[in-house]
Structures are given as structure tokens and as C-alpha cells.
Amino acid sequence: MSDTSLTIDNILAPELTLCRVPASSKKRVLETIAEHIHHQDEILSDTEIFSNLVSRERLGSTGIGQGIAIPHCRLEGLDRVIGVLMTLEESIDFDAIDNQPVDLVFALIVPKEATSEHLELLSQLAEKFNDNGFCEQLRQCQDAASLYQRMTAAS
């Protein structure tokens, strides 16, 4: 176990906080996540990230209900955890467990080896997103800066 425990505010960068993203489908959301990560770090392949996210979704939707999805995957050769927070312009079908459309997405890309840290982050995210008031605050953000601030202030 490392000395610095992973928290949402040390894996989420302002550049990977996206507000009111137009997306027509789950596939488009996953593509947008992969493209933005690649744009931030060109060493990372957007094709590989997208492919890994899609593979994970095939195991079961990461739509956790109440309009929220936490797509995640492992990535070979990654040396840190990357988070991407997005609110969507319009809710989309994400095959969520409650069959509700999704408009709040937090993607998590973790190193291939990360296991307990990965699960700890998923747990932190699920706990935050379990708070309806907090989710409503995120949904009301009008720009990426306020969205980032709201997400990290509460951790």
C-alpha cells in the first residue's frame, strides 16, 4: 500500500472535467472519454482505451442507476489512475441497472496491476454519487471549472 491513498481529487484533472457534453449514445460517450485522455497524454492510445472500456461494458453495464455511470477499465502500461468527469447535454441510454438514462459519467482508467486501489476508488465514487443532492449540484454546473471545483471540494 502506498503512502498516498488515491482520492478523487488527485486523479481528476481540470482538463478531464467536461461539462454538458453532446453525446448521442453510450458508444459516443466512451469514444469521447478515450479521445480526451489521448489528447491529455498522447502516449496513451485512444483506440486501446475505447476498446477496453467497451470490453468492460460487455461484461455488464457500468450504469449504476439514478442517471449515473462509472465506466472503467484497466490499461496496460499505465502508471497512474486517470479520472474523467462528464455531464451530458442530454440523458442517453446506458443500459443502466434501473433502465434510467444517464447524464452523469465518471470514467476511471487504472493500471493493469491496480486492484485494491481500483476498488477503493470505485467505492468512493459510488458513495459520492449515492448522495442525490451532490449529484444535483453537479448536474447544475454550467461550465467545466465549476464542475471540477464541485467534484473535488466535496472529497
Side-chain angles (χ1 to χ4, degrees):
M1 183 83 186
S2 62
D3 290 342
T4 56
S5 66
L6 287 173
T7 56
I8 293 160
D9 55 340
N10 61 26
I11 63 156
L12 181 65
E15 304 78 28
L16 291 174
T17 304
L18 314 169
C19 192
R20 302 189 179 273
V21 175
S24 53
S25 66
K26 180 198 270 196
K27 178 179 183 267
R28 188 65 202 122
V29 167
L30 300 178
E31 285 172 345
T32 300
I33 291 165
E35 288 162 5
H36 275 82
I37 292 172
H38 173 71
H39 185 71
Q40 273 305 111
D41 186 341
E42 293 185 357
I43 293 169
L44 302 175
S45 160
D46 52 342
T47 308
E48 189 180 349
I49 294 167
F50 174 70
S51 171
N52 289 4
L53 286 168
V54 168
S55 294
R56 171 56 191 84
E57 286 299 320
R58 282 194 193 113
L59 300 175
S61 176
T62 56
I64 62 170
Q66 299 183 6
I68 300 158
I70 308 179
H72 54 278
C73 69
R74 297 174 188 279
L75 191 63
E76 192 75 56
L78 189 62
D79 61 358
R80 67 196 184 287
V81 175
I82 299 172
V84 180
L85 174 63
M86 295 169 51
T87 57
L88 304 180
E89 208 168 73
E90 305 273 329
S91 298
I92 57 156
D93 180 32
F94 215 89
D95 305 314
I97 56 172
D98 62 357
N99 294 316
Q100 295 300 306
V102 163
D103 66 347
L104 193 53
V105 178
F106 195 106
L108 208 49
I109 314 300
V110 300
K112 196 96 175 144
E113 314 73 51
T115 50
S116 60
E117 289 176 330
H118 179 201
L119 294 173
E120 172 57 33
L121 273 171
L122 283 173
S123 165
Q124 284 180 39
L125 286 168
E127 191 175 312
K128 272 185 170 300
F129 289 135
N130 206 20
D131 177 344
N132 290 334
F134 174 71
C135 292
E136 214 35 61
Q137 289 176 352
L138 293 180
R139 288 181 171 109
Q140 288 170 6
C141 290
Q142 297 296 315
D143 57 60
S146 60
L147 183 60
Y148 176 79
Q149 206 278 325
R150 184 71 40 91
M151 186 69 192
T152 55
S155 45

